[in-house]
Amino acid sequence: MADAKQTATLSFDGKTLELPMLSPTAGPDVIDIRKLYAQGGVFTFDPGFTSTASCQSTITFIDGDKGELLYRGYPIDQLAEKSHFLEVCYLLLYGELPTAEEQEDFESRITNHTMVHEQMHNFFRGFRRDAHPMATMVGVVGAMSAFYHDSTDINDPYQREVASIRLIAKMPTIAAMAYKYSIGQPFVYPRNDLDYASNFLRMCFSVPAEDYEVNPILSRAMDRIFTLHADHEQNASTSTVRLAGSSGANPFACIAAGIACLWGPAHGGANEAALNMLREIGSVDRIPEYIKRAKDKNDPFRLMGFGHRVYKNFDPRARVMKQSADEVLDLLGVHDNPTLQVAKELEKIALNDDYFIEKKLYPNVDFYSGIILDAIGFPTSMFTPIFALSRTVGWIAQWKEMIGDPTQKIGRPRQLYVGKTMRDYVDVEKR
Ligand code: CMC
């Protein structure tokens, strides 16, 4: 726990409380209110956790004003440029970049777990034939606890490690199977001679009748998408994983809870929603109509892929993703695509519009990742499953950190109750 170097004074109702202030290694100081209720008899009120740190962590740091994202201290743009996803997984899980030997060992452990239990194929077949891949993933990942009993004991460090490796290794296989199932094609088994991203692309796009030649530029873009989404400190789905895990639930159940939370359009579902919105806009001349709607207080419409709770300057992931999008689009020569034209024009207009400038709304990572995934050939329904597969390592790293934290307690927020006070039951004939 960070040291308390000074205190904050809180006075109310004739009481004065001295609250310890904790200094982090980076970011604003934190007022420690853990004893507030015991000593002052009051709660704090912070729906949406806009001013509340829910845990201490050493994994990821974001400075939203500077547009900075660090994994274990390393800037995301350096990792996206110089590293690759499995190395980033090692860094997130164990805290340091691996030596060559550690990396080889880690990658071979991941590679040896890429297949799923054969009986899981039957489990997939229980879903409706056109199930959304996210629906399938929530169910299948939750069901892993039924298939892998030997790695569900959270008190055994070895089992925790095996569960982590299994989840990272099998998630591409499960996401690809969910996709294949949704389009009525046979499942494709993983190939362990391919790297993580190429293996995933092949499991999605090859069919028994025709193999899929993985283009290295596409596989690099895919790997970058994984890297850029790998962790993002205490976002909604990660907090969900931690909250689920705080009760002692097994890791597969916790990650399934994270996937369910990620699905929402304000979070991981935004990449799917962003591309659907670009298609709905359809042509450049309709953009002003949508910009007007986004500004209208009485219209719930928002420009999907714009804005972020934490980044109020720019999203550093979006910068790298934009560069990747240009590479992929150049390779595939899809510059005339109407969706892309709408995206480019919308980006230009929004970046120069007073409403968006004042509210600090910039294109976020999901704006560009959707464009890349579309160009690679993924349907929008696969965008959020790909986010889920990338974020799995972050969820696991955060879950493991929580389990090892001696100050960890079951997550149990309090409330500001504004309902009826106690009253007597009224018989039905008197209501
Ligand atoms: N389009 C139009 N107006 C917006 C948008 C938008 N995309 N985002 C925020 N605003 C306005 C909002 O109406 C509000 O205006 P006012 O102050 O006049 O009431 C102001 O900006 C602040 O919005 P907020 O809802 O208080 O901000 P938040 O921090 O709670 O929301 C957000 C962050 C990401 C949920 C929101 O910007 C949004 O809904 N964006 C679209 C969905 C999206 O792209 N999500 C992906 C986030 S990146 C991936 C991830 O990390 O999960």
Side-chain angles (χ1 to χ4, degrees), residues 232 265-268 270 294 297 301-309 312 315 317 355-356 359 361 364-366 387 391:
H232 214 225
H267 191 9
K297 284 242 167 265
F301 174 78
R302 284 185 169 202
L303 277 191
M304 300 315 286
F306 281 79
H308 198 273
R309 168 59 65 79
K312 298 299 179 194
D315 180 341
R317 303 168 301 170
Y355 173 92
F356 289 87
K359 295 196 186 304
L361 300 170
N364 58 46
V365 66
D366 288 332
F387 191 161
R391 184 56 57 84

PDB file of all heavy atoms in Angstrom, residues 232 265-268 270 294 297 301-309 312 315 317 355-356 359 361 364-366 387 391, ligand 1:
ATOM      1  N   HIS A 232      -6.513  -1.713 -19.743  1.00  0.00           N
ATOM      2  CA  HIS A 232      -6.869  -0.297 -19.692  1.00  0.00           C
ATOM      3  C   HIS A 232      -7.289   0.084 -18.285  1.00  0.00           C
ATOM      4  O   HIS A 232      -8.321   0.679 -18.085  1.00  0.00           O
ATOM      5  CB  HIS A 232      -7.975   0.012 -20.719  1.00  0.00           C
ATOM      6  CG  HIS A 232      -7.835   1.366 -21.302  1.00  0.00           C
ATOM      7  ND1 HIS A 232      -8.875   2.223 -21.459  1.00  0.00           N
ATOM      8  CD2 HIS A 232      -6.735   2.018 -21.736  1.00  0.00           C
ATOM      9  CE1 HIS A 232      -8.428   3.350 -21.983  1.00  0.00           C
ATOM     10  NE2 HIS A 232      -7.133   3.244 -22.167  1.00  0.00           N
ATOM     11  N   PRO A 265     -22.609  -1.049 -25.692  1.00  0.00           N
ATOM     12  CA  PRO A 265     -22.123  -0.094 -26.697  1.00  0.00           C
ATOM     13  C   PRO A 265     -21.338   1.083 -26.136  1.00  0.00           C
ATOM     14  O   PRO A 265     -20.622   1.747 -26.869  1.00  0.00           O
ATOM     15  CB  PRO A 265     -23.407   0.396 -27.385  1.00  0.00           C
ATOM     16  CG  PRO A 265     -24.513   0.053 -26.464  1.00  0.00           C
ATOM     17  CD  PRO A 265     -24.068  -1.120 -25.647  1.00  0.00           C
ATOM     18  N   ALA A 266     -21.446   1.355 -24.819  1.00  0.00           N
ATOM     19  CA  ALA A 266     -20.629   2.439 -24.254  1.00  0.00           C
ATOM     20  C   ALA A 266     -19.207   1.956 -23.994  1.00  0.00           C
ATOM     21  O   ALA A 266     -18.315   2.735 -23.696  1.00  0.00           O
ATOM     22  CB  ALA A 266     -21.243   2.944 -22.953  1.00  0.00           C
ATOM     23  N   HIS A 267     -18.976   0.654 -24.107  1.00  0.00           N
ATOM     24  CA  HIS A 267     -17.642   0.075 -23.791  1.00  0.00           C
ATOM     25  C   HIS A 267     -17.160  -0.673 -25.028  1.00  0.00           C
ATOM     26  O   HIS A 267     -16.995  -0.082 -26.080  1.00  0.00           O
ATOM     27  CB  HIS A 267     -17.827  -0.801 -22.539  1.00  0.00           C
ATOM     28  CG  HIS A 267     -16.576  -1.291 -21.892  1.00  0.00           C
ATOM     29  ND1 HIS A 267     -15.318  -0.873 -22.226  1.00  0.00           N
ATOM     30  CD2 HIS A 267     -16.393  -2.199 -20.875  1.00  0.00           C
ATOM     31  CE1 HIS A 267     -14.428  -1.489 -21.463  1.00  0.00           C
ATOM     32  NE2 HIS A 267     -15.056  -2.296 -20.642  1.00  0.00           N
ATOM     33  N   GLY A 268     -16.985  -1.983 -24.935  1.00  0.00           N
ATOM     34  CA  GLY A 268     -16.409  -2.743 -26.055  1.00  0.00           C
ATOM     35  C   GLY A 268     -17.316  -2.801 -27.268  1.00  0.00           C
ATOM     36  O   GLY A 268     -16.845  -2.980 -28.397  1.00  0.00           O
ATOM     37  N   ALA A 270     -18.650  -0.520 -28.652  1.00  0.00           N
ATOM     38  CA  ALA A 270     -18.595   0.722 -29.425  1.00  0.00           C
ATOM     39  C   ALA A 270     -17.988   0.511 -30.815  1.00  0.00           C
ATOM     40  O   ALA A 270     -18.360   1.216 -31.758  1.00  0.00           O
ATOM     41  CB  ALA A 270     -17.795   1.776 -28.672  1.00  0.00           C
ATOM     42  N   ALA A 294     -26.131  14.534 -32.823  1.00  0.00           N
ATOM     43  CA  ALA A 294     -25.206  14.278 -31.706  1.00  0.00           C
ATOM     44  C   ALA A 294     -25.185  15.456 -30.733  1.00  0.00           C
ATOM     45  O   ALA A 294     -24.979  15.281 -29.528  1.00  0.00           O
ATOM     46  CB  ALA A 294     -23.800  14.003 -32.233  1.00  0.00           C
ATOM     47  N   LYS A 297     -29.548  17.925 -27.315  1.00  0.00           N
ATOM     48  CA  LYS A 297     -29.730  17.398 -25.947  1.00  0.00           C
ATOM     49  C   LYS A 297     -30.940  16.472 -25.838  1.00  0.00           C
ATOM     50  O   LYS A 297     -30.983  15.601 -24.969  1.00  0.00           O
ATOM     51  CB  LYS A 297     -29.938  18.556 -24.966  1.00  0.00           C
ATOM     52  CG  LYS A 297     -28.686  19.294 -24.637  1.00  0.00           C
ATOM     53  CD  LYS A 297     -28.407  19.155 -23.136  1.00  0.00           C
ATOM     54  CE  LYS A 297     -27.012  19.588 -22.768  1.00  0.00           C
ATOM     55  NZ  LYS A 297     -26.022  18.565 -22.691  1.00  0.00           N
ATOM     56  N   PHE A 301     -28.944  10.157 -29.428  1.00  0.00           N
ATOM     57  CA  PHE A 301     -27.886   9.725 -30.358  1.00  0.00           C
ATOM     58  C   PHE A 301     -26.521  10.292 -29.973  1.00  0.00           C
ATOM     59  O   PHE A 301     -26.394  11.457 -29.641  1.00  0.00           O
ATOM     60  CB  PHE A 301     -28.247  10.167 -31.791  1.00  0.00           C
ATOM     61  CG  PHE A 301     -27.166   9.886 -32.783  1.00  0.00           C
ATOM     62  CD1 PHE A 301     -26.983   8.607 -33.278  1.00  0.00           C
ATOM     63  CD2 PHE A 301     -26.315  10.903 -33.214  1.00  0.00           C
ATOM     64  CE1 PHE A 301     -25.948   8.353 -34.188  1.00  0.00           C
ATOM     65  CE2 PHE A 301     -25.292  10.654 -34.120  1.00  0.00           C
ATOM     66  CZ  PHE A 301     -25.122   9.371 -34.609  1.00  0.00           C
ATOM     67  N   ARG A 302     -25.486   9.445 -30.021  1.00  0.00           N
ATOM     68  CA  ARG A 302     -24.110   9.891 -29.811  1.00  0.00           C
ATOM     69  C   ARG A 302     -23.266   9.430 -30.981  1.00  0.00           C
ATOM     70  O   ARG A 302     -23.559   8.392 -31.573  1.00  0.00           O
ATOM     71  CB  ARG A 302     -23.527   9.262 -28.549  1.00  0.00           C
ATOM     72  CG  ARG A 302     -24.039   9.914 -27.311  1.00  0.00           C
ATOM     73  CD  ARG A 302     -23.371   9.384 -26.073  1.00  0.00           C
ATOM     74  NE  ARG A 302     -23.744  10.247 -24.965  1.00  0.00           N
ATOM     75  CZ  ARG A 302     -23.067  10.376 -23.841  1.00  0.00           C
ATOM     76  NH1 ARG A 302     -21.977   9.682 -23.662  1.00  0.00           N
ATOM     77  NH2 ARG A 302     -23.484  11.178 -22.892  1.00  0.00           N
ATOM     78  N   LEU A 303     -22.241  10.162 -31.292  1.00  0.00           N
ATOM     79  CA  LEU A 303     -21.335   9.702 -32.343  1.00  0.00           C
ATOM     80  C   LEU A 303     -20.508   8.568 -31.748  1.00  0.00           C
ATOM     81  O   LEU A 303     -19.660   8.787 -30.873  1.00  0.00           O
ATOM     82  CB  LEU A 303     -20.389  10.810 -32.775  1.00  0.00           C
ATOM     83  CG  LEU A 303     -20.876  11.821 -33.797  1.00  0.00           C
ATOM     84  CD1 LEU A 303     -19.698  12.652 -34.275  1.00  0.00           C
ATOM     85  CD2 LEU A 303     -21.588  11.187 -34.977  1.00  0.00           C
ATOM     86  N   MET A 304     -20.768   7.354 -32.196  1.00  0.00           N
ATOM     87  CA  MET A 304     -20.057   6.205 -31.636  1.00  0.00           C
ATOM     88  C   MET A 304     -18.597   6.250 -32.109  1.00  0.00           C
ATOM     89  O   MET A 304     -18.320   6.639 -33.248  1.00  0.00           O
ATOM     90  CB  MET A 304     -20.712   4.889 -32.067  1.00  0.00           C
ATOM     91  CG  MET A 304     -22.154   4.760 -31.618  1.00  0.00           C
ATOM     92  SD  MET A 304     -22.427   5.240 -29.891  1.00  0.00           S
ATOM     93  CE  MET A 304     -21.737   3.875 -29.013  1.00  0.00           C
ATOM     94  N   GLY A 305     -17.697   5.844 -31.214  1.00  0.00           N
ATOM     95  CA  GLY A 305     -16.267   5.913 -31.553  1.00  0.00           C
ATOM     96  C   GLY A 305     -15.675   7.285 -31.250  1.00  0.00           C
ATOM     97  O   GLY A 305     -14.528   7.550 -31.591  1.00  0.00           O
ATOM     98  N   PHE A 306     -16.459   8.145 -30.578  1.00  0.00           N
ATOM     99  CA  PHE A 306     -15.946   9.456 -30.160  1.00  0.00           C
ATOM    100  C   PHE A 306     -16.105   9.593 -28.652  1.00  0.00           C
ATOM    101  O   PHE A 306     -17.125   9.189 -28.099  1.00  0.00           O
ATOM    102  CB  PHE A 306     -16.723  10.594 -30.835  1.00  0.00           C
ATOM    103  CG  PHE A 306     -16.273  10.829 -32.251  1.00  0.00           C
ATOM    104  CD1 PHE A 306     -16.712   9.997 -33.269  1.00  0.00           C
ATOM    105  CD2 PHE A 306     -15.394  11.860 -32.565  1.00  0.00           C
ATOM    106  CE1 PHE A 306     -16.294  10.188 -34.580  1.00  0.00           C
ATOM    107  CE2 PHE A 306     -14.965  12.055 -33.864  1.00  0.00           C
ATOM    108  CZ  PHE A 306     -15.417  11.222 -34.879  1.00  0.00           C
ATOM    109  N   GLY A 307     -15.122  10.216 -28.019  1.00  0.00           N
ATOM    110  CA  GLY A 307     -15.215  10.495 -26.587  1.00  0.00           C
ATOM    111  C   GLY A 307     -14.646   9.362 -25.754  1.00  0.00           C
ATOM    112  O   GLY A 307     -14.526   8.213 -26.216  1.00  0.00           O
ATOM    113  N   HIS A 308     -14.254   9.713 -24.548  1.00  0.00           N
ATOM    114  CA  HIS A 308     -13.744   8.707 -23.621  1.00  0.00           C
ATOM    115  C   HIS A 308     -13.849   9.243 -22.207  1.00  0.00           C
ATOM    116  O   HIS A 308     -13.674  10.438 -21.987  1.00  0.00           O
ATOM    117  CB  HIS A 308     -12.285   8.355 -23.940  1.00  0.00           C
ATOM    118  CG  HIS A 308     -11.867   7.070 -23.332  1.00  0.00           C
ATOM    119  ND1 HIS A 308     -11.366   6.988 -22.060  1.00  0.00           N
ATOM    120  CD2 HIS A 308     -11.932   5.802 -23.800  1.00  0.00           C
ATOM    121  CE1 HIS A 308     -11.119   5.724 -21.791  1.00  0.00           C
ATOM    122  NE2 HIS A 308     -11.453   4.981 -22.815  1.00  0.00           N
ATOM    123  N   ARG A 309     -14.140   8.381 -21.255  1.00  0.00           N
ATOM    124  CA  ARG A 309     -14.249   8.806 -19.865  1.00  0.00           C
ATOM    125  C   ARG A 309     -12.925   9.382 -19.350  1.00  0.00           C
ATOM    126  O   ARG A 309     -12.903  10.351 -18.617  1.00  0.00           O
ATOM    127  CB  ARG A 309     -14.691   7.615 -19.005  1.00  0.00           C
ATOM    128  CG  ARG A 309     -14.583   7.803 -17.496  1.00  0.00           C
ATOM    129  CD  ARG A 309     -15.398   8.977 -16.966  1.00  0.00           C
ATOM    130  NE  ARG A 309     -16.814   8.806 -17.130  1.00  0.00           N
ATOM    131  CZ  ARG A 309     -17.589   8.056 -16.355  1.00  0.00           C
ATOM    132  NH1 ARG A 309     -17.067   7.409 -15.333  1.00  0.00           N
ATOM    133  NH2 ARG A 309     -18.879   7.974 -16.567  1.00  0.00           N
ATOM    134  N   LYS A 312      -9.136  12.968 -22.228  1.00  0.00           N
ATOM    135  CA  LYS A 312      -9.815  14.211 -22.560  1.00  0.00           C
ATOM    136  C   LYS A 312      -8.905  15.053 -23.450  1.00  0.00           C
ATOM    137  O   LYS A 312      -9.096  16.250 -23.593  1.00  0.00           O
ATOM    138  CB  LYS A 312     -10.204  14.978 -21.279  1.00  0.00           C
ATOM    139  CG  LYS A 312     -11.176  14.194 -20.387  1.00  0.00           C
ATOM    140  CD  LYS A 312     -12.516  13.878 -21.070  1.00  0.00           C
ATOM    141  CE  LYS A 312     -13.442  13.082 -20.199  1.00  0.00           C
ATOM    142  NZ  LYS A 312     -14.588  12.484 -20.879  1.00  0.00           N
ATOM    143  N   ASP A 315      -6.770   9.903 -27.548  1.00  0.00           N
ATOM    144  CA  ASP A 315      -6.620   8.509 -27.138  1.00  0.00           C
ATOM    145  C   ASP A 315      -5.329   8.000 -27.794  1.00  0.00           C
ATOM    146  O   ASP A 315      -5.272   7.900 -29.027  1.00  0.00           O
ATOM    147  CB  ASP A 315      -7.871   7.743 -27.624  1.00  0.00           C
ATOM    148  CG  ASP A 315      -7.852   6.262 -27.260  1.00  0.00           C
ATOM    149  OD1 ASP A 315      -6.771   5.732 -26.971  1.00  0.00           O
ATOM    150  OD2 ASP A 315      -8.936   5.637 -27.300  1.00  0.00           O
ATOM    151  N   ARG A 317      -4.071   5.231 -28.113  1.00  0.00           N
ATOM    152  CA  ARG A 317      -4.270   3.993 -28.873  1.00  0.00           C
ATOM    153  C   ARG A 317      -4.805   4.328 -30.260  1.00  0.00           C
ATOM    154  O   ARG A 317      -4.518   3.661 -31.246  1.00  0.00           O
ATOM    155  CB  ARG A 317      -5.259   3.080 -28.143  1.00  0.00           C
ATOM    156  CG  ARG A 317      -4.836   2.741 -26.735  1.00  0.00           C
ATOM    157  CD  ARG A 317      -5.956   2.104 -25.956  1.00  0.00           C
ATOM    158  NE  ARG A 317      -7.125   2.953 -25.853  1.00  0.00           N
ATOM    159  CZ  ARG A 317      -8.309   2.562 -25.394  1.00  0.00           C
ATOM    160  NH1 ARG A 317      -8.479   1.328 -25.008  1.00  0.00           N
ATOM    161  NH2 ARG A 317      -9.326   3.407 -25.320  1.00  0.00           N
ATOM    162  N   TYR A 355     -18.510  22.112 -30.765  1.00  0.00           N
ATOM    163  CA  TYR A 355     -19.120  21.241 -29.750  1.00  0.00           C
ATOM    164  C   TYR A 355     -18.133  20.154 -29.337  1.00  0.00           C
ATOM    165  O   TYR A 355     -17.887  19.923 -28.148  1.00  0.00           O
ATOM    166  CB  TYR A 355     -20.403  20.615 -30.315  1.00  0.00           C
ATOM    167  CG  TYR A 355     -21.049  19.568 -29.426  1.00  0.00           C
ATOM    168  CD1 TYR A 355     -22.032  19.918 -28.509  1.00  0.00           C
ATOM    169  CD2 TYR A 355     -20.682  18.224 -29.507  1.00  0.00           C
ATOM    170  CE1 TYR A 355     -22.636  18.957 -27.695  1.00  0.00           C
ATOM    171  CE2 TYR A 355     -21.276  17.262 -28.704  1.00  0.00           C
ATOM    172  CZ  TYR A 355     -22.249  17.634 -27.802  1.00  0.00           C
ATOM    173  OH  TYR A 355     -22.837  16.691 -27.005  1.00  0.00           O
ATOM    174  N   PHE A 356     -17.540  19.495 -30.337  1.00  0.00           N
ATOM    175  CA  PHE A 356     -16.628  18.383 -30.051  1.00  0.00           C
ATOM    176  C   PHE A 356     -15.316  18.888 -29.449  1.00  0.00           C
ATOM    177  O   PHE A 356     -14.745  18.242 -28.564  1.00  0.00           O
ATOM    178  CB  PHE A 356     -16.379  17.556 -31.321  1.00  0.00           C
ATOM    179  CG  PHE A 356     -17.595  16.764 -31.707  1.00  0.00           C
ATOM    180  CD1 PHE A 356     -18.589  17.325 -32.505  1.00  0.00           C
ATOM    181  CD2 PHE A 356     -17.781  15.485 -31.227  1.00  0.00           C
ATOM    182  CE1 PHE A 356     -19.729  16.623 -32.824  1.00  0.00           C
ATOM    183  CE2 PHE A 356     -18.926  14.768 -31.540  1.00  0.00           C
ATOM    184  CZ  PHE A 356     -19.906  15.329 -32.336  1.00  0.00           C
ATOM    185  N   LYS A 359     -16.062  19.915 -25.708  1.00  0.00           N
ATOM    186  CA  LYS A 359     -16.293  18.766 -24.827  1.00  0.00           C
ATOM    187  C   LYS A 359     -15.153  17.753 -24.883  1.00  0.00           C
ATOM    188  O   LYS A 359     -15.226  16.685 -24.279  1.00  0.00           O
ATOM    189  CB  LYS A 359     -17.613  18.080 -25.204  1.00  0.00           C
ATOM    190  CG  LYS A 359     -18.814  18.979 -24.946  1.00  0.00           C
ATOM    191  CD  LYS A 359     -20.094  18.205 -24.951  1.00  0.00           C
ATOM    192  CE  LYS A 359     -21.321  19.082 -24.830  1.00  0.00           C
ATOM    193  NZ  LYS A 359     -21.343  19.950 -23.665  1.00  0.00           N
ATOM    194  N   LEU A 361     -14.050  15.795 -27.287  1.00  0.00           N
ATOM    195  CA  LEU A 361     -14.468  14.495 -27.849  1.00  0.00           C
ATOM    196  C   LEU A 361     -13.628  14.209 -29.095  1.00  0.00           C
ATOM    197  O   LEU A 361     -13.748  14.904 -30.098  1.00  0.00           O
ATOM    198  CB  LEU A 361     -15.957  14.545 -28.226  1.00  0.00           C
ATOM    199  CG  LEU A 361     -16.923  14.835 -27.074  1.00  0.00           C
ATOM    200  CD1 LEU A 361     -18.322  15.104 -27.585  1.00  0.00           C
ATOM    201  CD2 LEU A 361     -16.939  13.665 -26.099  1.00  0.00           C
ATOM    202  N   ASN A 364     -11.892   7.726 -30.711  1.00  0.00           N
ATOM    203  CA  ASN A 364     -11.190   6.817 -29.806  1.00  0.00           C
ATOM    204  C   ASN A 364     -10.718   5.582 -30.573  1.00  0.00           C
ATOM    205  O   ASN A 364     -10.944   5.463 -31.777  1.00  0.00           O
ATOM    206  CB  ASN A 364     -12.077   6.478 -28.594  1.00  0.00           C
ATOM    207  CG  ASN A 364     -13.401   5.862 -28.997  1.00  0.00           C
ATOM    208  OD1 ASN A 364     -13.436   4.969 -29.844  1.00  0.00           O
ATOM    209  ND2 ASN A 364     -14.489   6.325 -28.395  1.00  0.00           N
ATOM    210  N   VAL A 365     -10.092   4.672 -29.865  1.00  0.00           N
ATOM    211  CA  VAL A 365      -9.494   3.490 -30.490  1.00  0.00           C
ATOM    212  C   VAL A 365     -10.513   2.716 -31.343  1.00  0.00           C
ATOM    213  O   VAL A 365     -10.187   2.167 -32.388  1.00  0.00           O
ATOM    214  CB  VAL A 365      -8.858   2.582 -29.399  1.00  0.00           C
ATOM    215  CG1 VAL A 365      -9.904   1.992 -28.480  1.00  0.00           C
ATOM    216  CG2 VAL A 365      -7.995   1.511 -29.975  1.00  0.00           C
ATOM    217  N   ASP A 366     -11.770   2.712 -30.878  1.00  0.00           N
ATOM    218  CA  ASP A 366     -12.774   1.896 -31.558  1.00  0.00           C
ATOM    219  C   ASP A 366     -13.187   2.455 -32.897  1.00  0.00           C
ATOM    220  O   ASP A 366     -13.706   1.732 -33.749  1.00  0.00           O
ATOM    221  CB  ASP A 366     -14.003   1.735 -30.660  1.00  0.00           C
ATOM    222  CG  ASP A 366     -13.688   0.822 -29.502  1.00  0.00           C
ATOM    223  OD1 ASP A 366     -12.811  -0.028 -29.683  1.00  0.00           O
ATOM    224  OD2 ASP A 366     -14.296   0.978 -28.442  1.00  0.00           O
ATOM    225  N   PHE A 387     -12.224  -7.700 -29.319  1.00  0.00           N
ATOM    226  CA  PHE A 387     -11.848  -6.867 -28.166  1.00  0.00           C
ATOM    227  C   PHE A 387     -11.765  -7.766 -26.918  1.00  0.00           C
ATOM    228  O   PHE A 387     -10.803  -7.690 -26.140  1.00  0.00           O
ATOM    229  CB  PHE A 387     -12.905  -5.761 -28.008  1.00  0.00           C
ATOM    230  CG  PHE A 387     -12.574  -4.641 -27.053  1.00  0.00           C
ATOM    231  CD1 PHE A 387     -13.259  -3.430 -27.139  1.00  0.00           C
ATOM    232  CD2 PHE A 387     -11.600  -4.768 -26.065  1.00  0.00           C
ATOM    233  CE1 PHE A 387     -12.984  -2.376 -26.278  1.00  0.00           C
ATOM    234  CE2 PHE A 387     -11.320  -3.723 -25.191  1.00  0.00           C
ATOM    235  CZ  PHE A 387     -12.018  -2.526 -25.294  1.00  0.00           C
ATOM    236  N   ARG A 391      -8.554  -8.278 -24.517  1.00  0.00           N
ATOM    237  CA  ARG A 391      -8.593  -7.786 -23.141  1.00  0.00           C
ATOM    238  C   ARG A 391      -8.455  -8.910 -22.116  1.00  0.00           C
ATOM    239  O   ARG A 391      -8.204  -8.658 -20.939  1.00  0.00           O
ATOM    240  CB  ARG A 391      -9.899  -6.998 -22.938  1.00  0.00           C
ATOM    241  CG  ARG A 391     -10.106  -6.322 -21.590  1.00  0.00           C
ATOM    242  CD  ARG A 391      -9.008  -5.363 -21.191  1.00  0.00           C
ATOM    243  NE  ARG A 391      -8.747  -4.271 -22.129  1.00  0.00           N
ATOM    244  CZ  ARG A 391      -9.414  -3.121 -22.191  1.00  0.00           C
ATOM    245  NH1 ARG A 391     -10.382  -2.893 -21.346  1.00  0.00           N
ATOM    246  NH2 ARG A 391      -9.097  -2.187 -23.071  1.00  0.00           N
TER     247      ARG A 391
HETATM  248  N1  CMC B   1     -21.279  12.076 -29.130  1.00  0.00           N
HETATM  249  C1  CMC B   1     -21.880  13.228 -28.757  1.00  0.00           C
HETATM  250  N2  CMC B   1     -21.807  13.781 -27.536  1.00  0.00           N
HETATM  251  C2  CMC B   1     -21.049  13.132 -26.626  1.00  0.00           C
HETATM  252  C3  CMC B   1     -20.371  11.927 -26.933  1.00  0.00           C
HETATM  253  C4  CMC B   1     -20.494  11.410 -28.242  1.00  0.00           C
HETATM  254  N3  CMC B   1     -19.880  10.285 -28.579  1.00  0.00           N
HETATM  255  N4  CMC B   1     -19.708  11.491 -25.832  1.00  0.00           N
HETATM  256  C5  CMC B   1     -19.962  12.394 -24.865  1.00  0.00           C
HETATM  257  N5  CMC B   1     -20.765  13.374 -25.351  1.00  0.00           N
HETATM  258  C6  CMC B   1     -21.198  14.562 -24.615  1.00  0.00           C
HETATM  259  C7  CMC B   1     -22.309  14.215 -23.619  1.00  0.00           C
HETATM  260  O1  CMC B   1     -23.586  14.368 -24.191  1.00  0.00           O
HETATM  261  C8  CMC B   1     -22.042  15.189 -22.500  1.00  0.00           C
HETATM  262  O2  CMC B   1     -22.578  16.438 -22.866  1.00  0.00           O
HETATM  263  P1  CMC B   1     -23.153  17.422 -21.705  1.00  0.00           P
HETATM  264  O3  CMC B   1     -21.975  17.767 -20.848  1.00  0.00           O
HETATM  265  O4  CMC B   1     -23.662  18.587 -22.499  1.00  0.00           O
HETATM  266  O5  CMC B   1     -24.218  16.655 -20.987  1.00  0.00           O
HETATM  267  C9  CMC B   1     -20.510  15.347 -22.494  1.00  0.00           C
HETATM  268  O6  CMC B   1     -20.090  15.014 -23.836  1.00  0.00           O
HETATM  269  C10 CMC B   1     -19.794  14.424 -21.501  1.00  0.00           C
HETATM  270  O7  CMC B   1     -20.291  13.096 -21.711  1.00  0.00           O
HETATM  271  P2  CMC B   1     -20.421  12.013 -20.565  1.00  0.00           P
HETATM  272  O8  CMC B   1     -21.426  10.992 -20.977  1.00  0.00           O
HETATM  273  O9  CMC B   1     -20.592  12.687 -19.235  1.00  0.00           O
HETATM  274  O10 CMC B   1     -18.978  11.407 -20.586  1.00  0.00           O
HETATM  275  P3  CMC B   1     -18.569  10.004 -20.030  1.00  0.00           P
HETATM  276  O11 CMC B   1     -17.160  10.145 -19.604  1.00  0.00           O
HETATM  277  O12 CMC B   1     -19.539   9.507 -19.013  1.00  0.00           O
HETATM  278  O13 CMC B   1     -18.727   9.058 -21.312  1.00  0.00           O
HETATM  279  C11 CMC B   1     -18.286   7.632 -23.120  1.00  0.00           C
HETATM  280  C12 CMC B   1     -17.676   8.479 -21.995  1.00  0.00           C
HETATM  281  C13 CMC B   1     -17.138   6.866 -23.817  1.00  0.00           C
HETATM  282  C14 CMC B   1     -19.262   6.592 -22.545  1.00  0.00           C
HETATM  283  C15 CMC B   1     -19.006   8.568 -24.126  1.00  0.00           C
HETATM  284  O14 CMC B   1     -18.090   9.512 -24.671  1.00  0.00           O
HETATM  285  C16 CMC B   1     -19.710   7.802 -25.246  1.00  0.00           C
HETATM  286  O15 CMC B   1     -20.840   7.344 -25.058  1.00  0.00           O
HETATM  287  N6  CMC B   1     -19.035   7.625 -26.435  1.00  0.00           N
HETATM  288  C17 CMC B   1     -19.577   6.834 -27.490  1.00  0.00           C
HETATM  289  C18 CMC B   1     -19.312   5.374 -27.207  1.00  0.00           C
HETATM  290  C19 CMC B   1     -17.856   4.984 -27.429  1.00  0.00           C
HETATM  291  O16 CMC B   1     -17.265   5.313 -28.450  1.00  0.00           O
HETATM  292  N7  CMC B   1     -17.315   4.218 -26.467  1.00  0.00           N
HETATM  293  C20 CMC B   1     -15.975   3.658 -26.585  1.00  0.00           C
HETATM  294  C21 CMC B   1     -15.019   4.140 -25.569  1.00  0.00           C
HETATM  295  S1  CMC B   1     -13.343   3.611 -26.008  1.00  0.00           S
HETATM  296  C22 CMC B   1     -13.358   1.926 -25.736  1.00  0.00           C
HETATM  297  C23 CMC B   1     -13.332   1.539 -24.317  1.00  0.00           C
HETATM  298  O17 CMC B   1     -12.354   1.901 -23.629  1.00  0.00           O
HETATM  299  O18 CMC B   1     -14.297   0.861 -23.864  1.00  0.00           O
END
